[in-house]
Amino acid sequence: MGAARGVRHGLARAARATAALLLCGVVAACVTWASDEWGDTARGQVLAQRTEADRARNPFPWWQDTKKPPDQVPVGTRRDTPGDGSSGEVAVRIERTPEKSWRAVVRYRLRLRAADPLANRLRAWPDQFAQVSSSLPGGYATAVALHGGMRRPGYPHWCAVSQPSARDRVTVTAEHRVTLTAAMAADGITYAIGSAFKDERGQLVPRPRLPGRWAWSIEVPRGWGLAVSGPPTRQTARAVTFVLTREGNPGRVTARLLTSREAAAAALGSPAPQDPPGSSPEALLSLVVLGVVACAALTGYRTTPGGGPRAGPLVPLVAVGLAVALGALLIDSYSTHWKVLSWLWGGLVYGHTGLVSEPLPMESRTQGALLGTVLFVLPVLTVVVSHRRRGARCPAVVESGVLAAPTAALVLLAWLMGGGTWTRAVVTCLVTAALAACAVYAVLRLRLCGNAARAWAVPLALAAWTAAISCVVLQVLPWETDLATPFTGQRLFTGRSAGASWPLLFTLVVPWVTALLLVVVPLLPPAARVGRTGRLALAAVLVPALLPWWTVMTSTDRPATSDLLAQLAGQWPGDSLVYGVRTIAPGAQVMWCATVAVLLAQLYATGVEKGRWGAGARRNCLALLLCAAAATVIGAPNNWLPYWTTAAALLVAWAGAHLLLPSGRAERARKLHGLSGAAHARLLNSLARALLFAEGRHRFLTSSRGTLADTSLPADSWEEKWQSLRRPTAADAARETARLKGVALGGSAGRAAWSNGVAAAAATALLTLPWTAWTAWQAEGYSGVPESVTVAGAPTCVWLAHGFTYGYLYPWLRGNTPVGKAGWLWAVMSAVQLLLLVPRLRVPQGPTALSVFLILAQSTVMALGLALYWEMRLVRRADLLWGHIRNFRRLSSLATPVSAVLVAAVAAVATVLATTWASNVTAPVDTPSPSHSTTTAPPGEP
C-alpha cells in the first residue's frame, strides 16, 4: 500500500509539473505570436516611410552630398596582383597607445611562389607594396577606411621579404599604424570588404577575386563594439574573421568605441581619457550576486516569525543563477548576433532603419520583456502577495480592475500613437493576451497544477494578461509621422501621435504608484487612511514626481516626450532604440522607492505597540538594509555592476545584517523589548546605585592611602568603612554590574519600536547632515528624484537604514550597551560603504585616501554620536542624569585637547580639499545613456 501510494504521489507530481510546463509554453507562444506581428508592423511602417521619402525626393538634387572615395589611395594594376598559388591575410587590431589615444595596427602577410614575378619586384622595390596591398582581397577597403590624406595615409610604404631557400615560398610582411582621431573612434570605422570603390578618376576599382586562401580579420579591445554585416567565418566577443573566396565577399564590419565621452573630452581639449573601468565578467558576477541575495531575502518571508531563512529554497535558486550566468558566458563567447555581456557593459543605439532587414532583434525582445516585467508585472504580483499575506482576498474585483487599467491604457495609447496601420497588431496583442489569461485561469481553476494553485487563478491570470501586453508593446513603441520636406526626407510627428505620447509616458509609472497606494494605505493608522479621492490626489502628485524631468531635452523635430521615453523605455519612438542595462534603471529606481515605502509601512504597522514586535520585524529590517546597500546598483547599474567590489558589497550587506541581528537572540530580545517603562526605571536605578558604590570604593581606596600612612585613620575604622561599601554589592561585583548594565541599557525603555526607529533615524540624519546636504547640492546632474535618491543619496541611505534598524531592533542588535552595539553597526556599514565607494574612485589621480578617510570619519561620527545619544535617551527615560551612568570626570582631562586637535585638523583638511573631494566623490557618475547624436548604423543594415 505504501509503495502504491508513493507511485501515485509521484505520478501526480509529474502530471502537475507537465501541466505547468505546458501552460508556460502556451503563454510563451501567445507572446511570441503577438511579438512577431508587432515587429512586422514596425518593419512595414519603416519600409512605407522609406518608400514615401524615395518617391517624393528628386533622384539627383543639385545639393546632394556625393561622397567620393579618397584619391590618395594607390590602385594596383595587373602586375601588382599575386599569381596562382599565393595566399595571405590582412589583420587589423585596435589598441591603446601610451599617450592614451587609439590607433589601428594593420599587418599584411603575403605568401608567393618562388617563381612569381611579383616576388622579385617586391624584393627589388619594397616601397611598391602600397599598390600590391590594394590588390589583395580586403586590402583596398582597409586602406580606404583608415586613409586621412597625405599626413595620415591608410596604406603601408614598405615591406619585408623573406625566403628560407631558393625553392621555398616567399613571405612578404608589412605593418602600418594609423592614429585614430576621437571623431573616428566615436563615429566608427567601416571596413566594406565586399564593396566596390571608385578611384580618383571616377573609374571602378575591380574587386580582387584571387584563388587560394585569403583572410581578413579585425580585433578590438575592451570598450569597443563590432557591427558585422554578412556571415563571418568566425566571430568572438571582440574579433571577427572572414575567409575571402573567389565567389565574392559581402562582408562589412564597423568598429566603434562604445563610450562617447572620449570624443567630447578631446573636442574640449581636456586630458586624455582613461581606459573603461571594470569588466563584463565582473558585471555578470555582480548581477548574479544581486539576484541570489534578493531571492534569499524573499525566501526569508517564508519562514516562521523571527526565524532565519531556510537553506532548502536557496539551493535551486543558486543553481539556477549559476546556470544562467554560465549560459550568458557561452552565448556571449560564441553567438554572433547577440552579445549578452555587452548589454551589461555599455549601451548601443540601434536605428529603426535596421528593422528593414530584421523585424525585431533579440535584444529588443529581451529588453521589452524586462521592461514589461519591471514596470507592469511586478506591481501586480506585489499587490497579490501583500493581500495573501494579510489573509485578504487577492485581489478584489475593484482592485483587479485598477491593476488592469494601466496595461489596457498602455496598448490603447500605443494604438493612438501609431494610427490605423497598427490596428491589426493591437488586436493581435489583445487577443493573444486574452488567450494566455484564459489558459492560465482554466488550468489553475481545474486544479491541473494542484489544489493549492486554485486560489491563485485570478491573480495569475491577471499577471499573464499584463505580461503579454506590456512585454510586446514595450519592444517598439508605435509612431506616426508625416513627410515634412520631400527633398531631405525629414519627417515630423503627427499631432495625435505627439498628444498620445504624454499620457503614455505617465502610464509607465502608474502601476507602481497604484500598487504603492493599494499596499501602503491599509497599513496606515485609521486617521491617515485616505479615501478614493485622496488616493487619486496622491497619485496625481506621485506620478509626475517619479518621472525623469531633469533629462536634457535636445529634440527639435520630435515631441518633448521623446527624450523622456528614451529614459524610461529606452527608445526614441520612430527613430532609435537604446540597448543596455541603463535602460532598465529608471523603472528599477521607481521599484526601489516603492519597495522601501512598503517596508517602512509594514514596520510601522507592526511596531506601534509598546513592548511587542510584529511577526516580520527582523526580516523587514534585513530587507531594508539590503535595499539600502543595493541603491547605487539599482540607480546606475552600468556604473556599479562592472566591479567585483559591488558583488562583495552586496554579500557583506547581507551577511552583516545577519551578523547584527542573530536569530539566536530572538528570545532575549523579546524579553528586553517587553520591559515596561517602570521596570526600565527600576533597573537603571539599580545600575546607578551599583556604579555609585563602585565609584565610592574607588575613591575611598584612593583617598585613604595618605590617612593610613600617617595613622590618622585607624585600621579598624578603615576596615569598617570598606566593608560598609562592599556590603550592598554581590561578591562578583564586576560581573554583576556588567550583567545589570546589559539589561538596564539593552532594552527599549518601554517605548514602541517605531518611535525608537524614527528617533534613531532622525539622529542619524542630523549627524550625517553635512554629507547629505553637500550631496543634494551636487545632484544637479541626475535625471530625476528617484535617481538622485538611489545614486547621489546612496551613502545617506545606508546610514539611515542602519540608524533606523539600530533604534527599531535595538534589543536584538549584537552587543550589550549602546556603544557596543554601535561598534558592530559601524563595522558592518563601513565595510559596505568602502566597497561601494570603489566605482566613484575610478579616476587614478583622485584623492583616494581623503575620500576613504572622509567616509570612515562620517561613519564614525554617526555611530559614536548615535550611541551616546541613545545612552542619554535611555538614562533620561528613568529620570536620571546622564552623568549618573557615564562618568565624564575620567575623560575630561583627555577629551578636551584631543577633540580640539581633531576638530582643527578635520576643518583644515576639509577647507583645503573640499572642492576636489566633492567633484570626485559626490559628483554624478558621468556615464549617461547614449544620446541621440551618437546613433550608429544598425548591426543588420547593409
Side-chain angles (χ1 to χ4, degrees), residues 89-107:
E89 62 267 356
V90 179
V92 183
R93 189 177 81 248
I94 309 296
E95 63 181 19
R96 197 73 154 160
T97 65
E99 293 79 15
K100 298 301 180 182
S101 60
W102 298 102
R103 69 182 173 192
V105 181
V106 186
R107 290 186 172 90

Side-chain angles (χ1 to χ4, degrees), residues 594-798:
T595 303
V596 172
V598 171
L599 288 175
L600 291 177
Q602 290 182 350
L603 288 170
Y604 169 79
T606 58
V608 293
E609 185 178 351
K610 293 183 179 180
R612 185 179 177 274
W613 283 311
R618 178 176 178 268
R619 58 176 175 248
N620 287 333
C621 286
L622 292 177
L624 184 64
L625 294 177
L626 181 61
C627 285
T632 51
V633 187
I634 298 298
N638 54 327
N639 296 321
W640 264 264
L641 283 180
Y643 292 89
W644 68 267
T645 53
T646 301
L650 295 174
L651 290 176
V652 168
W654 181 244
H658 285 81
L659 180 66
L660 284 175
L661 302 170
S663 57
R665 293 175 62 95
E667 190 62 30
R668 174 181 170 84
R670 289 193 183 94
K671 291 181 180 179
L672 291 175
H673 184 60
L675 293 175
S676 62
H680 170 75
R682 288 194 301 268
L683 290 170
L684 210 55
N685 285 323
S686 300
L687 176 61
R689 176 176 174 270
L691 293 177
L692 179 62
F693 275 98
E695 179 67 19
R697 289 193 297 269
H698 170 72
R699 290 194 180 187
F700 176 71
L701 288 176
T702 304
S703 61
S704 62
R705 293 177 181 176
T707 57
L708 283 175
D710 59 7
T711 66
S712 61
L713 179 65
D716 296 340
S717 300
W718 186 93
E719 181 66 21
E720 181 181 355
K721 288 185 177 181
W722 174 251
Q723 291 298 331
S724 65
L725 290 173
R726 287 191 58 187
R727 193 175 300 116
T729 58
D732 193 353
R735 184 175 183 181
E736 191 67 24
T737 303
R739 184 180 302 175
L740 184 59
K741 183 181 292 186
V743 176
L745 297 178
S748 298
R751 293 188 175 98
W754 176 258
S755 62
N756 285 337
V758 171
T764 302
L766 184 62
L767 291 169
T768 58
L769 184 60
W771 186 290
T772 306
W774 187 257
T775 303
W777 181 264
Q778 295 291 323
E780 58 182 5
Y782 296 98
S783 60
V785 174
E787 186 177 8
S788 300
V789 172
T790 54
V791 183
T796 304
C797 290
V798 174

Side-chain angles (χ1 to χ4, degrees), residues 282-299:
E282 292 181 33
L284 181 62
L285 173 65
S286 300
L287 187 63
V288 171
V289 169
L290 177 62
V292 171
V293 171
C295 292
L298 293 177
T299 55

Side-chain angles (χ1 to χ4, degrees), residues 8 115 120 130 295 374 460 505 510 609 626 664 668 675 739 833 861 908 932:
R8 285 197 301 270
N120 294 327
C295 292
V374 172
L460 289 185
L505 175 68
V510 165
E609 185 178 351
L626 181 61
R668 174 181 170 84
L675 293 175
R739 184 180 302 175
Q833 294 280 36
V861 170
H932 177 64

Side-chain angles (χ1 to χ4, degrees), residues 74 76-77 79-80 118 121-122 124-135 156-159:
T77 59
R79 67 173 192 163
D80 298 321
L118 184 59
R121 196 159 67 85
L122 289 177
W125 296 283
D127 56 343
Q128 294 187 4
F129 186 78
Q131 290 80 0
V132 177
S133 66
S134 299
S135 301
H157 292 282
W158 201 266
C159 68

